[in-house]
Amino acid sequence: MRTIRLGRTELIVTKNAFGALPIQRLSMDQAAALLKKAYDLGVRFFDTAHAYTDSEEKIGLAFENVPRQSVVLATKSGALDPAVLRKEVEMSLAHMKTDYIDILQLHNPAFVPQEDHPAYQELLKLKAEGKIRHIGLTNHQLKNAVEAVNSGLYETIQFP
């Protein structure tokens, strides 16, 4: 599979990623089998969100015996309150059975949090603690996505 450097990170990922939203509809065993099949076929980048019901747990089950450095795990949080954001990151770590998240993305905020915003400051703390490696943002509004890129604060931007 072809690989690319992802955003402003040093991560080299497969050009085709696995978006985990649909695995909510599968049983734990079906989802784990599908995720393992994708991995066996060469997919190494898996994207989910804390809000995708049990998808993080399914990822944790699928990859609990896979060398952690062989997969890139991205997840999202819609929380802008620092305490809630930290709690969601801690839950995501536990669900995915990992000690770090490769990319934590703020999920479709109505505005682009700048460096002085409490949520962004919390992301910097989580990064310094090694719980997340990179800070990203998802957005469905072109204006916000462009603002995030121009801010230089986000290492990845996910835009539909």
Side-chain angles (χ1 to χ4, degrees):
M1 252 191 203
R2 292 183 55 202
T3 58
I4 58 168
R5 178 175 168 230
L6 185 61
R8 292 187 9 239
T9 74
E10 79 284 353
L11 298 170
I12 304 299
V13 298
T14 49
K15 198 165 186 180
N16 293 318
F18 188 106
L21 176 66
I23 65 172
Q24 302 177 90
R25 297 186 287 270
L26 301 177
S27 72
M28 290 296 274
D29 290 338
Q30 290 171 323
L34 181 61
L35 288 159
K36 287 177 188 173
K37 181 70 170 180
Y39 179 85
D40 290 343
L41 292 172
V43 176
R44 295 294 183 268
F45 181 28
F46 297 85
D47 176 71
T48 190
H50 178 75
Y52 297 171
T53 63
D54 60 357
S55 68
E56 290 178 337
E57 291 96 327
K58 290 169 177 170
I59 287 171
L61 175 65
F63 299 132
E64 64 186 335
N65 296 315
V66 171
R68 176 61 182 89
Q69 68 277 9
S70 71
V71 294
V72 173
L73 299 178
T75 194
K76 306 173 199 76
S77 172
L80 293 177
D81 174 270
V84 176
L85 178 59
R86 177 169 290 273
K87 182 179 178 185
E88 287 190 6
V89 167
E90 296 287 353
M91 290 171 60
S92 294
L93 290 166
H95 291 160
M96 292 191 289
K97 301 178 183 178
T98 186
D99 57 352
Y100 67 92
I101 295 165
D102 293 291
I103 307 165
L104 192 288
Q105 302 166 99
L106 291 180
H107 196 25
N108 198 30
F111 62 94
V112 178
Q114 297 300 312
E115 193 167 16
D116 61 347
H117 191 279
Y120 193 86
Q121 287 297 307
E122 190 64 26
L123 290 171
L124 291 175
K125 290 176 190 173
L126 290 161
K127 188 173 180 180
E129 294 167 15
K131 294 181 180 193
I132 65 173
R133 293 177 64 203
H134 301 284
I135 298 171
L137 182 126
T138 73
N139 212 272
H140 296 243
Q141 304 219 7
L142 182 58
K143 174 183 83 61
N144 289 349
V146 169
E147 181 182 342
V149 169
N150 290 336
S151 76
L153 297 173
Y154 298 92
E155 296 164 274
T156 64
I157 306 296
Q158 189 177 106
F159 183 78

